[in-house]
Amino acid sequence: RVDLEAQSVRAGDRTFAFDVRPDWRRRLLNGWDAVDLTRSHAQDIERFLARDAQARPWAGARAR
């Protein structure tokens, strides 16, 4: 039995641990692709863009 959440494989009475990169684990557990993972950070991205617009108004308007 493979348990991705616990990051273990059980075979009979033996259990083996394995490591999965946190981003890949999150994607697999949620059924997400790379775009979904990016969308999960939408609020952080919007906050960054707002701070960047304040810090660098000369950088120009964002494309819509």
Side-chain angles (χ1 to χ4, degrees):
R1 177 167 188 236
V2 176
D3 185 338
L4 180 59
E5 196 162 356
Q7 296 184 92
S8 66
V9 175
R10 185 175 200 175
D13 62 345
R14 298 182 72 185
T15 302
F16 305 91
F18 65 92
D19 291 321
V20 176
R21 282 185 8 204
D23 59 320
W24 276 100
R25 183 171 173 262
R26 187 171 181 200
R27 287 169 62 174
L28 289 167
L29 287 171
N30 289 298
W32 291 349
D33 63 11
V35 173
D36 295 317
L37 182 62
T38 300
R39 286 182 180 149
S40 76
H41 297 285
Q43 289 179 340
D44 296 329
I45 294 167
E46 287 300 320
R47 282 192 293 269
F48 167 82
L49 291 172
R51 284 191 317 270
D52 187 56
Q54 288 289 321
R56 299 181 322 137
W58 48 264
R62 289 188 291 166
R64 302 245 181 229

